[in-house]
Amino acid sequence: MQIRKVTKAVFSLSLAFLMLSAPVASAIDSYYSEDGAPQGKLGLVWVEDSLRNGNPVSYAQYYNSDEVRVCKSLTEKKCLENNWNQNVMLVPCSVDDSSACIEGISIGTDPKNLTKAKLVRNIDGNNMEPYLPFGIPRGGTIGIWEAPGQMHTGDNNQYSVAARIEYGGDKNGAAIIGFQASVVPIRIQNGSYTKMELIEITDASRGGKTFPVFAHHIGNCAWQEADKCAIAQQWQENAIASLKIRVPKEITGWLYGRIASPSIDVSNFNKTLNTVTITAKPVTVQGSKPLVDIDKIPTGMKNFLTNDGKNPFPDGPNSANGGWVWQIATDNDDSLNWYKNWFAYTNDKADGMVDYWNIKSIPSQSVGSSCISSTKELVGLVTSNSMLYSGSAPVFRDQSMQYKVTSLHYMPDGVTPFLGSYNLVMRSSAARCLYKFSSAPVQAVVEVINPNGSIQVATTILNESDGWLKLSAAGFTFSSPTLKIKLTQNGNRKTLSKQEGNKITITCIKGKVTQKVSAVNPKCPSSYKKMG
C-alpha cells in the first residue's frame, strides 16, 4: 500500500505501515478511512482533521540548499542560521504558564454547567525547549483529558486535546504562520503501532538527498504512539466543548473550522498573550473515498492526476498495479478541482460520517476588506459542516459576504439528503464598518445560490451581544453552492425619528420566510416578493 498525500505542508509525507486490530464491539467509531486502495485501484480520501493531516508533532526543520533537515530546537546553530520552520504543540499551562499554553477544556450538554476535564497524561513524543529570544513557547505533545460523567460512543470519557502554533523565520526573527486546535473523543486501541515523530531519510531516487518524513501510518488513528492508536469516536448527543487557551497576540484576524453554534471570548492575559475561549458544539461532516480502476481511468482524469504526464504514476511492484490514495485537504480552492474530477466515482453520497471539533487561523493577508482584516485583534470565526469549504474569511462582494462550500448530496444510505450548516461570528464593529451601519439593530438574509442559479432558503438566526454579531444558517441541501450573507438595517435611529411620519412598512416573502421592511421608500431584499 502506498500513500500520496496532498496537504498545505510541503514536506508533510508519511511512511505507510499497515496495521490491523479488532475494534471494540461497543464503540461507535467516526469514519476515518484507511489510506490505502486495493491493487488495481486508485483512490482519494476526503476526511479531515486539523491535527492528523500532517504536522501532528512538535518539531523544527531547516532548509539548506535543496535539502530539508531536522533539528532538535532553534538552539542548534545549524537550524538558526538557515531558513527554518517550527511546529509547536502547546503544553498545558500547569507545565509552563510563562508563554502560550492550554488552560483547560470543559465538556457537557448544558452550556451553563459544563464539566471541567482533567489532564491524564500527554502522549509519548518529542518535547522542545522554548526559544525565548523569538518568543517561541515550549513544545509538547497531544494530551489525553478526562471529563467525569461526559461519556461518548467509545464508552469512556477521554478526549484528545491539541493546540498547535506554526512558526517560520531565519536568524533575524520569527513570524507566526498559523494556529490550529482540535478536540477529539477517543478510545485507545492496542496494536503494532509506531509513535509519531519526524525522521530523516535519504532517497536514492532524489539523487541521494535527505529530507524529513513523519514515520507513522495514520489510517483510522487520530494519533498514535508505540503500540497504541487513538480511534476517533462520535460525540454524545447535544455535546458542547469549551476550549480555553493562551495564545500570542500576533494571532489575529479570522478563525475557521469545524464547530457549530460557536461563541468566542478574547481577554488580555499580559502584554504578549491573550486568553481565548471558544465554546461550541461539534459538527458531523461527510467522509468520502472514491475509487477508480487504474486501467479504466479516463484520459482527462489521468492528465489531471499526472499533471499532463509531468508526474507519472510511479513504477514498482505495488504502485504499477494501483494501491495509491491521495489525501486531499478539505479547506482550499485546489480541492474543488479534485472534486470535479472525482465526483463521478462518489455516487453523490458519503461513505461515512465524521464528528469534528476543530479551529484554524486564516492569514490576515488573505482577507480583502480593511473592515474585517486586523493585525491587532481577532475579528471573527466562520464554520461549516460542508465536506469542502473555503479556508478563508467570507469575500465581500455586491454588498454581501460570500462563502463557497461543496458537499455530496446524500448521506451514506444514498437516500437521505445531507443538510448544511454555516456559522458566522464577527465583531459588531467590523460588521458596521463593512456596511456603514449605525448602532441600530441589524437583520440578516442568507441566500444559498446553486450552480444552476436557483436559490434556496436557509433558516437563519441572528443575534448581537457583548460586542459580537452571531449568525447561523441551517437546513439547506448541498451541491456546490455559494452562500450569500447580506446584513440589512432599517436606518439610523435619529434619521428615522425625523421621518417617522413618512415611513412606510411593507411585508416581503420568500418561500415560508417573511420579513418586514420599513423605510420612506421601502424595497424588498433580492429574491423576496412584496405581499399585497
Side-chain angles (χ1 to χ4, degrees):
M1 179 185 68
Q2 302 191 39
I3 301 171
R4 179 173 292 180
K5 198 169 187 179
V6 180
T7 67
K8 292 181 180 177
V10 175
F11 296 98
S12 179
L13 304 176
S14 297
L15 294 179
F17 304 101
L18 181 61
M19 292 161 279
L20 300 175
S21 299
V24 177
S26 62
I28 302 177
D29 300 346
S30 271
Y31 174 84
Y32 274 43
S33 173
E34 270 291 340
D35 297 331
Q39 293 303 302
K41 300 276 189 180
L42 291 179
L44 175 146
V45 174
W46 279 306
V47 64
E48 166 250 353
D49 182 78
S50 62
L51 295 176
R52 79 188 286 267
N53 227 358
N55 304 346
V57 298
S58 289
Y59 70 86
Q61 61 186 18
Y62 66 95
Y63 306 86
N64 184 7
S65 183
D66 57 349
E67 289 188 320
V68 183
R69 305 298 293 270
V70 177
C71 47
K72 292 182 179 180
S73 74
L74 291 185
T75 57
E76 291 187 43
K77 185 177 180 180
K78 64 181 181 182
C79 198
L80 190 60
E81 290 186 345
N82 290 279
N83 292 326
W84 54 267
N85 69 284
Q86 184 166 0
N87 197 65
V88 178
M89 303 292 289
L90 298 185
V91 299
C93 293
S94 58
V95 175
D96 185 353
D97 66 354
S98 62
S99 56
C101 57
I102 299 174
E103 285 199 25
I105 177 77
S106 297
I107 294 170
T109 57
D110 181 353
K112 297 181 180 179
N113 189 29
L114 299 177
T115 300
K116 188 175 182 179
K118 297 180 180 179
L119 177 67
V120 177
R121 67 179 178 90
N122 285 89
I123 68 172
D124 183 32
N126 189 43
N127 292 278
M128 306 189 73
E129 291 298 313
Y131 191 71
L132 299 180
F134 290 168
I136 296 178
R138 186 180 306 277
T141 62
I142 295 170
I144 301 174
W145 299 66
E146 286 186 348
Q150 303 304 323
M151 309 291 282
H152 51 68
T153 61
D155 200 27
N156 70 69
N157 59 5
Q158 291 191 338
Y159 296 81
S160 167
V161 180
R164 179 180 81 203
I165 302 177
E166 299 170 80
Y167 292 86
D170 56 25
K171 63 182 179 181
N172 298 313
I176 293 177
I177 300 172
F179 163 77
Q180 302 183 12
S182 176
V183 182
V184 184
I186 58 169
R187 65 175 177 87
I188 304 299
Q189 177 172 284
N190 297 322
S192 300
Y193 300 97
T194 57
K195 75 174 183 179
M196 299 183 295
E197 60 181 336
L198 191 68
I199 64 172
E200 291 182 348
I201 66 170
T202 301
D203 189 350
S205 67
R206 299 190 184 187
K209 299 295 184 182
T210 299
F211 60 95
V213 297
F214 289 109
H216 64 93
H217 166 66
I218 293 178
N220 63 343
C221 302
W223 52 258
Q224 41 182 95
E225 55 186 350
D227 302 322
K228 289 181 171 60
C229 163
I231 307 293
Q233 302 300 288
Q234 294 180 10
W235 290 75
Q236 64 177 312
E237 193 167 350
N238 299 317
I240 300 170
S242 183
L243 179 63
K244 189 174 185 179
I245 50 181
R246 295 177 200 163
V247 295
K249 290 186 175 180
E250 291 86 351
I251 295 178
T252 58
W254 284 77
L255 300 175
Y256 72 106
R258 303 295 202 180
I259 50 179
S261 304
S263 65
I264 184 170
D265 179 78
V266 182
S267 61
N268 178 72
F269 180 75
N270 60 27
K271 64 179 182 179
T272 61
L273 298 173
N274 281 331
T275 297
V276 177
T277 304
I278 295 177
T279 305
K281 297 178 180 180
V283 295
T284 300
V285 181
Q286 295 173 319
S288 177
K289 185 182 177 180
L291 298 171
V292 60
D293 292 334
I294 194 170
D295 58 352
K296 297 180 181 179
I297 300 176
T299 300
M301 184 177 184
K302 187 172 184 178
N303 290 341
F304 173 78
L305 294 176
T306 63
N307 192 17
D308 293 326
K310 297 175 183 177
N311 301 311
F313 301 134
D315 296 325
N318 294 322
S319 55
N321 297 315
W324 277 96
V325 163
W326 284 262
Q327 276 192 333
I328 306 301
T330 60
D331 56 359
N332 59 52
D333 292 338
D334 189 51
S335 298
L336 296 178
N337 292 326
W338 286 84
Y339 179 85
K340 292 174 184 176
N341 280 274
W342 284 90
F343 174 77
Y345 304 97
T346 65
N347 295 317
D348 203 13
K349 72 180 185 68
D351 291 318
M353 306 304 293
V354 192
D355 279 358
Y356 287 132
W357 196 108
N358 65 50
I359 55 172
K360 310 175 189 179
S361 63
I362 298 171
S364 294
Q365 60 268 26
S366 68
V367 181
S369 171
S370 60
C371 287
I372 56 175
S373 177
S374 175
T375 58
K376 297 182 179 180
E377 63 182 5
L378 283 173
V379 177
L381 167 68
V382 60
T383 74
S384 175
N385 69 343
S386 178
M387 186 175 72
L388 306 177
Y389 63 110
S390 303
S392 62
V395 175
F396 188 66
R397 183 183 299 123
D398 299 329
Q399 289 299 299
S400 66
M401 290 179 285
Q402 301 183 14
Y403 196 75
K404 291 183 178 180
V405 293
T406 299
S407 281
L408 301 169
H409 195 73
Y410 296 105
M411 299 284 281
D413 62 11
V415 177
T416 307
F418 179 61
L419 299 181
S421 66
Y422 172 86
N423 294 272
L424 173 67
V425 178
M426 66 186 300
R427 290 189 182 272
S428 298
S429 57
R432 294 177 191 283
C433 169
L434 197 64
Y435 285 94
K436 298 179 174 57
F437 284 165
S438 71
S439 59
V442 175
Q443 298 85 41
V445 175
V446 178
E447 295 180 340
V448 183
I449 313 298
N450 294 313
N452 62 4
S454 63
I455 299 175
Q456 297 183 52
V457 175
T459 301
T460 305
I461 300 174
L462 177 73
N463 62 70
E464 186 175 3
S465 62
D466 301 322
W468 294 93
L469 196 70
K470 303 174 184 179
L471 178 146
S472 64
F476 53 91
T477 56
F478 274 112
S479 54
S480 298
T482 296
L483 305 182
K484 287 189 175 182
I485 304 98
K486 188 170 185 178
L487 302 181
T488 60
Q489 189 177 59
N490 290 339
N492 182 279
R493 285 175 175 170
K494 292 182 179 180
T495 302
L496 286 175
S497 62
K498 291 179 181 179
Q499 299 179 350
E500 193 69 29
N502 299 322
K503 185 175 65 174
I504 300 172
T505 299
I506 62 173
T507 301
C508 304
I509 186 169
K510 182 171 69 173
K512 297 181 180 180
V513 179
T514 60
Q515 180 176 332
K516 292 185 181 297
V517 178
S518 297
V520 175
N521 184 24
K523 295 180 180 179
C524 288
S526 174
S527 76
Y528 278 71
K529 293 182 179 180
K530 180 181 176 182
M531 291 183 64

